[in-house]
Each structure stands twice: as C-alpha cells, then as structure tokens.
Amino acid sequence: MSNSIYCSPTHLKFVVGDADARSVKIRKYGELLLPAGGMINGIITDEGIMTRFFAQVNNEYALGKEPTLLVINNNNIQAKRLEVPPVSEDMALEFIHREYSQYSEDENDNNIYDYTVLGGKGPSGGTQILAVAVARDLLDSYLRSLTSAGFDLKKIDIGLNCQIKLAKFMPQLQHGSIILVLVDERSLSLTLFENGNYVVSNRHRLTHTPDAPEITDEIGGNISSMIQFNKTQKDSAAITAAYIAGVTTAHIDALRFSLTYLGIDIQPLDMSEQIKLHDGAGSEGGVNFDSGNYLLNLGNLVKK
C-alpha cells in the first residue's frame, strides 16, 4: 500500500491503495480544503502553514504509515515529447538540459531534469521520451514540508505522466485517436493519445466556474480546437472519441449535445471495472468515491 497525494488549487486529495496490471485497490481516500495562505495553484508559498497542515492530515488519517507518492500539476512544469539517441541516462539528461536551456538567457539554471520512456521509435530511430524540467525550489518546498510533517516521501510525479500511465492502463484509451479531458476545478487539460501512445497535451485556465452554464461551451470549444489542430498534422489519424473526467453526468450530456457536429463519441471515463474498494473503504463524511475527482492520484498509483 502507498498513499498518493495531490494538491489541487483548492484541496489536498489523497488515495491510499495499491495497483496491479488490472485494477487499483483502494483502502482510504479523502479531499480536504487547503489552508488559506499556504499554496497558490499548486505552489507552496508558506512552508510553515503547509507543514502544520500536512502534519494535521497525517495525524488524522495516519498517512505516514505507508510510502507517499506525490503528484504535482501546475503550469510551472515544463514537459515535452522528445526523441533521443540510444545513450546512457546521464547523456539523455544532458540532452534534455540543452533542449530546455538553448532559448534561455538565465545563467543560473535552477531546474531539475528528468524523463520517462514513452516507448516506440522516433522518426530518426531514437527513443521517444517525455522530457521534464521543474524548478528545484518547487520540489524542495514539497520535500521539506511533507517530510517535516512525518510523511515518507518516496516519489514525485507530474500530472501529465499520471495521465500517460492511465492510457496504458485503461482499455478505452488504447484504441484509435482519443482525447482524455480532465477538468480539475478551474483547470482544463486535454491530452491526445493514439493507440494508447501520448501525442500532445494542452492546459487551459477555465474562466467559468463548474456550475456556470457557459462552462459547456468553454470546454467544448477547447475540444474542438484540439480536433482542428490534429487535422493539420501530417499523418495524424482522425480523432474518434473524447473521454471526460472531473465533471458531472449533466455536463457530459450537455457536451455530447453541443458537440454533435464534431462527429466524435463523447463519454465519461468509466473506471468502475478497474477500481476495487476494500470493505469499509471510505472518506470522512461518507462521500462516494468518484474516480474522475481523483484521476491524478490513481494514475500516480498505477505501475508502468
């Protein structure tokens, strides 16, 4: 068992569980309002406030008993698909460093670089990777706050990679060209996969709240834009479906109605076959588990 932790713009979300090749077994989950003044859009602004908050959560839910897997997901994280030659890990990291720094005039490079192998050969015969650059200060602030609060922090992942892992895990994301749509409060991410392989991802700041009627048109317009962009790409397959997480059934029905003209299938991302709740598993207040609300936590638990 591990506990997967993610701080959205307004809440800390945690899932305690484990995953195998076919399912995620959940023992405990919860969603807690973040303290005022501690974070802004996933960035810790006051370590004292957040350390005290994390310690309170740890004491109340005993999350320090299992290894902690953290997800971070904000616009300060740089991630892109690259092709690298068959070289050692150190040389691959140097390649990524050069890629990100070639257009920067900042001589004080404070980034941490890492990558994950996406699989498949690139156009030049090299290896396809997801190359990531994250500010060291961003990671260090989480590391200090969580460990000071008693968490056994073992891994830090990014939201995009959690979605990529889910695409290898969820059967409906592995056939054809599809868009995974994740609505995370006021943040919208659209990630395009082709036969389960990552192609591209876009993040948008939603101007409307989830309960506003205009939210349907805003989400739908961004889906339409990605479809139109895909049509301009050489050798790209036509997008056939969009799977949506993080919104209500009513919102999905409204999107399905308003986007009929696109000719694609619009469905909720149904994880009911993959989620296994332990007897007695639940959250404070008895709220039923909504996989779309914890999508990044779940992707964080999924093994490669």
Side-chain angles (χ1 to χ4, degrees), residues 26-145:
I26 297 173
R27 193 180 73 193
K28 192 187 322 182
Y29 59 93
E31 182 176 7
L32 306 167
L33 187 67
L34 291 171
M39 299 188 76
I40 297 178
N41 295 325
I43 300 172
I44 293 177
T45 54
D46 190 313
E47 289 187 25
I49 291 176
M50 290 309 300
T51 299
R52 289 190 293 273
F53 171 71
F54 287 142
Q56 179 183 348
V57 173
N58 187 16
N59 291 335
E60 185 170 354
Y61 297 96
L63 299 182
K65 293 181 178 180
E66 296 91 7
T68 295
L69 314 177
L70 173 68
V71 185
I72 53 174
N73 189 49
N74 60 58
N75 290 329
N76 295 72
I77 300 169
Q78 302 178 74
K80 64 170 69 175
R81 190 177 65 167
L82 293 178
E83 179 184 353
V84 297
V87 295
S88 67
E89 180 177 347
D90 288 345
M91 292 187 68
L93 291 173
E94 180 59 32
F95 184 91
I96 295 168
H97 183 192
R98 292 199 304 270
E99 175 68 22
Y100 277 117
S101 61
Q102 62 180 323
Y103 304 111
S104 174
E105 298 179 358
D106 186 2
E107 296 181 356
N108 300 315
D109 187 358
N110 192 39
N111 285 334
I112 297 290
Y113 300 96
D114 203 353
Y115 69 94
T116 186
V117 176
L118 295 174
K121 294 292 184 181
S124 302
T127 302
Q128 299 265 26
I129 66 170
L130 180 72
V132 178
V134 184
R136 184 185 299 273
D137 293 345
L138 173 63
L139 299 181
D140 284 347
S141 62
Y142 272 104
L143 177 62
R144 288 190 294 265
S145 298

Side-chain angles (χ1 to χ4, degrees), residues 183-195:
V183 181
D184 184 12
E185 299 169 16
R186 299 291 286 273
S187 176
L188 171 70
S189 67
L190 305 175
T191 306
L192 178 62
F193 296 97
E194 187 170 333
N195 296 324

Side-chain angles (χ1 to χ4, degrees), residues 78-292:
Q78 302 178 74
K80 64 170 69 175
R81 190 177 65 167
L82 293 178
E83 179 184 353
V84 297
V87 295
S88 67
E89 180 177 347
D90 288 345
M91 292 187 68
L93 291 173
E94 180 59 32
F95 184 91
I96 295 168
H97 183 192
R98 292 199 304 270
E99 175 68 22
Y100 277 117
S101 61
Q102 62 180 323
Y103 304 111
S104 174
E105 298 179 358
D106 186 2
E107 296 181 356
N108 300 315
D109 187 358
N110 192 39
N111 285 334
I112 297 290
Y113 300 96
D114 203 353
Y115 69 94
T116 186
V117 176
L118 295 174
K121 294 292 184 181
S124 302
T127 302
Q128 299 265 26
I129 66 170
L130 180 72
V132 178
V134 184
R136 184 185 299 273
D137 293 345
L138 173 63
L139 299 181
D140 284 347
S141 62
Y142 272 104
L143 177 62
R144 288 190 294 265
S145 298
L146 285 168
T147 55
S148 296
F151 286 82
D152 182 19
L153 184 59
K154 293 296 187 184
K155 186 183 76 170
I156 300 177
D157 208 340
I158 65 170
L160 176 56
N161 192 46
C162 292
Q163 295 178 62
I164 291 171
K165 291 195 294 181
L166 280 173
K168 301 295 185 182
F169 181 74
M170 300 291 297
Q172 58 264 56
L173 302 181
Q174 296 170 11
H175 304 287
S177 290
I178 63 93
I179 303 173
L180 174 58
V181 181
L182 174 59
V183 181
D184 184 12
E185 299 169 16
R186 299 291 286 273
S187 176
L188 171 70
S189 67
L190 305 175
T191 306
L192 178 62
F193 296 97
E194 187 170 333
N195 296 324
N197 297 311
Y198 170 68
V199 178
V200 68
S201 184
N202 293 327
R203 283 171 57 90
H204 306 275
R205 172 72 174 172
L206 293 171
T207 58
H208 298 98
T209 58
D211 56 348
E214 297 86 355
I215 193 69
T216 298
D217 290 338
E218 187 173 10
I219 295 172
N222 284 301
I223 293 174
S224 178
S225 295
M226 176 166 273
I227 291 173
Q228 298 308 316
F229 168 79
N230 185 63
K231 289 179 178 179
T232 67
Q233 302 305 296
K234 183 180 179 181
D235 299 327
S236 62
I239 293 171
T240 58
Y243 289 94
I244 304 176
V247 298
T248 65
T249 301
H251 277 132
I252 293 175
D253 289 342
L255 283 167
R256 189 180 291 122
F257 178 79
S258 66
L259 297 179
T260 302
Y261 70 96
L262 292 176
I264 67 170
D265 191 22
I266 295 178
Q267 298 288 342
L269 183 66
D270 183 6
M271 297 189 68
S272 58
E273 293 295 319
Q274 287 77 33
I275 300 299
K276 309 296 181 184
L277 292 176
H278 281 256
D279 291 340
S283 70
E284 201 69 24
V287 178
N288 290 333
F289 186 78
D290 179 356
S291 60

